[in-house]
Amino acid sequence: MKLLAFMMQTGGHIAGWRHQRAADNALCDIDYFRRLGQVAERGLFDGVFLADYVGYHPVQGADIFAGMETPKLDPLAVLSTIAAATSHLGLIGTASTTYSHPYDLARRFASLDHLSRGRAGWNIVTSTMENEAHNYGRDAHLGHSERYACADEFVGVARRLWDSWQSGAVLADKASGHYTDPSRISAVNHAGDHFRIAGPLTVPRPPQGHPVLVQAGASATGQRFAAANAEVIFTSHPTIETAKAFRAAMHAQLAEFGRAPASLKVMPAITPIIGKTREAAQVLQRELDGLIPTRIAVSKLEALLGNIDLSGHDPDGPLPPLPDAALAGQNSTRDRVLELSGRQGLSIRALARQVAAGRTSHTVVGTAQDVAQTLIDWELQGAADGFVISPPFLPAGLEDFVDQVVPILQQRGHFRTAYEGVTLRENLGLAVPDNFYETHPEARARPEVF
């Protein structure tokens, strides 16, 4: 199986930062991120996964904002520091196609791929929060379908930019005085609905051809986008049944694009809460959940349901009917929350605490043996190609997984005992993409700069 470590602040649990084993005020500390990378590499993880946003969800009051772990550094800057402290670990960072530009982002990821010798990955998001729009000079966030149309064009032109330097373009021949072969560098000359880009990129083609493309949207549109573009899909499922159905649906959509199932790794999020005994793990779970203030839990639920206001409803009663406006946000996440509410018949208060604790995905509470067995069962039953491990607190939770769960997976033949390759693609078992301009020589164009 494949494994990614989710570096979600100082813990995947919303109150994980308050736990005594979580790092203290570490989100701007270079040593914290280096340590996480080194722990993940010691555990032979395929890569680390860094989430990001460029704004904030609205919350009802400063006291709620004050209780949340909110700082976020630029993911590519963080991943560059991890690259320098590791040698095999993949480096996957989130960047928005709505609030970035293809040329700039293609250049930054190509640079990271070169400097890490082929370990970069891009988690493609379209962004979801209104505050992000306001931070980039827009009055409102783009609609769901428009964001994905923009993302499709964005990724397409980024691929062309990475391909604008063909093999053999760099000569660095001191004797002849030729540093490049201009005939192997092509303009892009893209003119689309959202972007106009001449090219070529100022960075030669990345070692992996393209950084590994990752996607996390699970709405119908997001799944379609992933089937066309992604090589890893980060997903979230409360049960093995929903995970199996999702993976089967993704394989069916891949076929429509002429892609093989092996070209997309389906990786659900798993939160392991590990104890020496099952009882000890349950005590730890209750301890973590007890650290969540109710006001923050309800605020999280309101955001995931589309920024609705639940303040006028009985917290011990059921969810009220949701207005249509709630459909405009994170549709797939909203659907998972509603499914959880209906399946368990939860009150607003109980649902909020479950959602805030991260249990719209799958939390495994038990011994290291229990966690390992769950991962093996999901893999063998076709629910996953691997997992995004989201420890409840960091770095200790990741250390627990590496020291206790990984050896069991290795002993049972379900996880590597050494890295297979140097690049992230090699370790994930993904092919290097063809260079478009080498397979379509008729599309080559002389850049305007020479």
Side-chain angles (χ1 to χ4, degrees), residues 6-18 22-36 49-53 56 65-79 81-82 391-395:
F6 194 29
M7 302 195 325
M8 187 65 178
Q9 307 295 81
T10 57
H13 189 287
I14 197 170
W17 70 273
R18 299 184 65 193
D24 183 24
N25 189 24
L27 296 181
C28 297
D29 182 356
I30 188 173
D31 291 332
Y32 168 70
F33 292 108
R34 285 176 172 167
R35 179 179 173 186
L36 283 176
F49 187 107
L50 195 60
D52 191 42
Y53 42 69
Y56 290 111
F65 187 85
M68 302 174 73
E69 193 184 34
T70 47
K72 273 194 177 295
L73 299 182
D74 182 324
L76 269 74
V78 172
L79 293 172
T81 70
I82 296 174
F393 42 76
L394 290 167

Side-chain angles (χ1 to χ4, degrees), residues 236-265:
S236 178
H237 294 284
T239 68
I240 189 172
E241 289 76 20
T242 59
K244 287 167 65 176
F246 178 85
R247 185 167 178 263
M250 287 308 308
H251 286 176
Q253 293 186 68
L254 286 174
E256 296 180 37
F257 288 91
R259 297 180 61 190
S263 68
L264 176 67
K265 307 302 178 185

Side-chain angles (χ1 to χ4, degrees), residues 297-335:
V298 172
S299 177
K300 175 76 169 178
L301 177 62
E302 290 173 334
L304 294 180
L305 291 175
N307 299 319
I308 68 170
D309 183 1
L310 295 172
S311 60
H313 300 278
D314 179 5
D316 294 312
L319 275 179
L322 298 184
D324 290 343
L327 296 173
Q330 301 177 68
N331 300 338
S332 58
T333 303
R334 173 186 178 275
D335 291 344

Side-chain angles (χ1 to χ4, degrees), residues 14-15 17-18 57-69 289-304 308-311 315 348-357:
I14 197 170
W17 70 273
R18 299 184 65 193
H57 282 294
V59 294
Q60 301 297 319
D63 61 326
I64 294 176
F65 187 85
M68 302 174 73
E69 193 184 34
D289 290 355
L291 294 172
I292 309 173
T294 297
R295 68 187 189 280
I296 289 179
V298 172
S299 177
K300 175 76 169 178
L301 177 62
E302 290 173 334
L304 294 180
I308 68 170
D309 183 1
L310 295 172
S311 60
I348 291 174
R349 189 194 309 273
L351 178 63
R353 295 191 78 81
Q354 281 221 32
V355 166

Side-chain angles (χ1 to χ4, degrees), residues 143-297:
H144 189 262
S145 58
E146 187 177 359
R147 292 201 309 274
Y148 272 101
C150 175
D152 199 59
E153 182 181 338
F154 192 119
V155 172
V157 71
R159 290 179 189 271
R160 296 291 181 269
L161 286 165
W162 290 322
D163 289 350
S164 61
W165 290 64
Q166 298 156 50
S167 57
V170 178
L171 301 174
D173 186 341
K174 293 181 178 179
S176 69
H178 290 165
Y179 198 93
T180 63
D181 178 353
S183 70
R184 303 197 65 75
I185 301 174
S186 179
V188 172
N189 293 335
H190 174 82
D193 294 334
H194 301 91
F195 307 106
R196 293 175 61 86
I197 298 165
L201 202 62
T202 60
V203 182
R205 196 173 197 239
Q208 297 185 101
H210 303 164
V212 172
L213 299 183
V214 183
Q215 203 261 347
S219 66
T221 308
Q223 290 182 42
R224 198 78 183 160
F225 179 85
N229 297 292
E231 297 165 296
V232 174
I233 186 163
F234 172 20
T235 183
S236 178
H237 294 284
T239 68
I240 189 172
E241 289 76 20
T242 59
K244 287 167 65 176
F246 178 85
R247 185 167 178 263
M250 287 308 308
H251 286 176
Q253 293 186 68
L254 286 174
E256 296 180 37
F257 288 91
R259 297 180 61 190
S263 68
L264 176 67
K265 307 302 178 185
V266 180
M267 302 183 68
I270 298 285
T271 296
I273 298 180
I274 304 168
K276 291 183 178 179
T277 65
R278 292 177 184 175
E279 292 74 20
Q282 290 165 359
V283 168
L284 176 56
Q285 182 185 38
R286 289 194 295 270
E287 182 183 354
L288 286 162
D289 290 355
L291 294 172
I292 309 173
T294 297
R295 68 187 189 280
I296 289 179

